[in-house]
Amino acid sequence: MTNLVPNIAYDYAELAKVSGIELPTPKTEAWKYTRLRDLLDCPYTLCTPSSATGPELPLKADVIHISNGRLVSALPQVAGAEITVIDHVEEKTHHPFAQMNALYLTQGLQITIRRKLSRPLVLNYHMSPNGENGFYHWRNIINCEKDSSAAIIEQFTYEGEVKSCYLANLVNDINIQAGASLQHYKYQNEAFKANHVALHEITIAADGKYESFCLQKGANIARNETEISLNGEGAEAVVNAAYMMNGWATLDTTTNVYHYQPHTKSSQLVKGVVGGTAKGVFQGRIHIAPNAVCTSGTQLHKAMVLSDDAEIDVKPELEIFADDVKCSHGAASGEIDKEQLFYMRSRGIGEEEAKTLLIDAYVTDVINHITDSSVREWFKSLI
Amino acid sequence: MNTPLLEIEDLCAEVCGKQIIKDFNLTINEGEVHAIMGPNGAGKSTLSYVLCGKPGYAVTSGSVRFKGKDLLAMSVEERAREGVFLIMQYPVEIPGVPTTTFLKHAVNAVRKHQGLPELDTMEFLKMVREEGRLLGIDNEMLKRPINVGFSGGEKKRMETLEMSILKPDFAILDEADSGLDIDALKVVAEGVNRLRDGKRSMLVITHYQRLLNYIVPDFVHVFADGHIVRSGNKDLALELEQNGYAEFVKEK
Ligand SMILES: Nc1ncnc2c1ncn2[C@@H]1O[C@H](COP(=O)(O)OP(=O)(O)OP(=O)(O)O)[C@@H](O)[C@H]1O
Ligand SMILES: [Mg+2]
């Protein structure tokens, strides 16, 4: 973070360029559906610190407050885990935003899970724009040691000017060792002109399990990208998500799952609801390496489109180089079911109320896959 | 003396550009039960949907007054709140919406329209469980998503439950008896009869005279080719059971 000056508005693309990092353009295949121009058009200053904290979650948890990209609470003592602050990291991948994140890291955490945690760990990210278009880069390096188990919840909220177009750039480096399991939940409700780019890089060893659910409701442009390497036999990943947007936002869910070993399993269920001129993007790739026999990878994206101007872009990719593999992908999008709507209205329920009930039911279907009941109820209360 | 509840005059309606209801006339007074019988495809379900305002069912001419008001000018939900209810021939399954949630929204929407206070969860559950018990619907079924995976008979019981708790002034029963076993038929008929109070009226659409032994109609109409071709008392149903519809269908 040494060479950035506070109060100077940086052109993000320019900053990347002088740093030797090539940001994607609208022509870059992996980013062509994301309205990158909107994201890169606005010059950003480095976020000034704030001490405002985000709303508490209605569940028992150890909580870490992060405000404007900086830690603002004392780190909790968590039995079975070790948490320390980091201020520099190295990026191993070529992901341009992750490279920017590493090069200009605001702050981050190193979280080591040693055994089974008794309650979830909440990372409560909060933004108060302070009259500026700020950016911050936050990173967690999460190491789940052998046979450990934990639940980590990330919540992103804001207060103050709804029109601030700040940029949150987040990276989670997650390593799940043999027999360990991690439940990873995320709720993104950024300001409606804000930009949110998150990358989760996850490696899973034999018999390790990763279960995730991400609900996106905010931001102008938000991309939640998950890259999973199933590196040992018996490794398993569940990558579920939901997004709901009525304005003009672009909500992007991108997933790359690499099955490198036999007997590995992955499943993805993503459901979206878009109205107004909003745009939902789902890019899901399942890659099965030549030796990865007896694997299964499934993927399903469903979207409910509420207006003529809303848009859904879906790009599934299956790369299968092994035999004896169970793979499936599917996508469906449609309007609210007219028969169901009529049935409800014919019982006196108003049209808008009926639609809300039907949309809730649609999204609740994914939420019901969450194993932790208190987390499940929390997400239900958010839709 | 006779206060008209529903007055249908020269009603013509079409679905997908195809005229189904042709110059239909019928007046139903308060407290009366009318039965409609007629061949498959005559337009009986279409008539029910037109009366409920289902989108896609276009009235091309004629008028319908309900309690003196223009029914056709009302939205689907307004008609329901004013007291029109349809037991559907094919009830709709709604995955993800628990039956109790759905029923509570419906009951409170109607109560609000009537200027009554909304029921809280406890009051509502007590009421719905009580009515459910009378219709052989247990708490487990009430927790399930509305109609999803219900058997044909269970769906009809659920329709009857909805009617029992919404207490409409006018109910249309579109083949409420189809798919019911003999015992369930009695249970549903008893549910319907409990609502008969001398003011509420019903339009009972059925193919089988048997239902009319339980829900005894004041009038029976034969419906063919989009309108009523003959009217009589309950004995007409017995006659139809004997002779079928041949004479009415031939007639055109
Ligand atoms: N959406 C539609 N598009 C085209 N035709 C339709 C549509 N809905 C109904 N019809 C036609 O309208 C006619 C009347 O149908 P309706 O369901 O009202 O008959 P019904 O008298 O209730 O018959 P049943 O005794 O079999 O229930 C039928 O010929 C049917 O095919
Ligand atoms: Mg019918």
Side-chain angles (χ1 to χ4, degrees), chain A residues 111-170:
Chain A
I111 302 172
T112 306
I113 313 287
R114 300 218 188 277
R115 34 177 219 272
K116 184 177 170 34
L117 301 193
S118 60
R119 52 187 192 175
L121 180 64
V122 170
L123 303 177
N124 199 338
Y125 304 83
H126 194 62
M127 182 75 193
S128 13
N130 291 340
E132 63 194 12
N133 296 325
F135 75 90
Y136 74 85
H137 292 168
W138 181 272
R139 177 171 306 231
N140 299 301
I141 300 175
I142 301 168
N143 188 9
C144 302
E145 292 191 343
K146 196 168 175 294
D147 298 325
S148 68
S149 107
I152 292 180
I153 304 172
E154 295 185 281
Q155 169 174 265
F156 296 87
T157 55
Y158 73 98
E159 68 181 45
E161 303 121 87
V162 292
K163 285 189 175 166
S164 169
C165 80
Y166 59 86
L167 167 67
N169 174 334
L170 302 124

Side-chain angles (χ1 to χ4, degrees), chain B residues 15-16 18 20 38-46 57 89 175 207:
Chain B
V15 193
C16 297
K18 188 175 156 197
I20 309 289
N40 293 131
K44 304 181 297 296
S45 295
T46 303
Y57 289 71
Q89 184 173 359
E175 300 198 22
H207 286 297

Side-chain angles (χ1 to χ4, degrees), chain A residues 337 339-353 357-358 360-362 364, chain B residues 54 76-77 80-81 85-86 88 92-97 102 105-106 109 147 159 162 166:
Chain A
D337 187 294
E339 292 294 325
Q340 295 177 355
L341 191 61
F342 169 67
Y343 188 75
M344 295 186 125
R345 294 176 68 200
S346 78
R347 271 45 177 154
I349 302 174
E351 187 166 358
E352 287 312 309
E353 193 178 340
L357 281 168
L358 290 172
D360 279 6
Y362 189 76
T364 301
Chain B
K54 186 170 183 176
V76 178
E77 51 267 43
R81 292 169 190 170
F85 185 93
L86 167 63
M88 294 190 196
V92 181
E93 301 192 0
I94 309 183
V97 179
F102 167 71
H105 280 261
N147 288 330
E159 296 285 287
E162 290 171 17
L166 294 178

Side-chain angles (χ1 to χ4, degrees), chain A residues 255-266:
Chain A
T255 313
N256 291 297
V257 181
Y258 295 92
H259 290 257
Y260 288 123
Q261 293 297 326
H263 300 283
T264 49
K265 207 170 147 185
S266 72

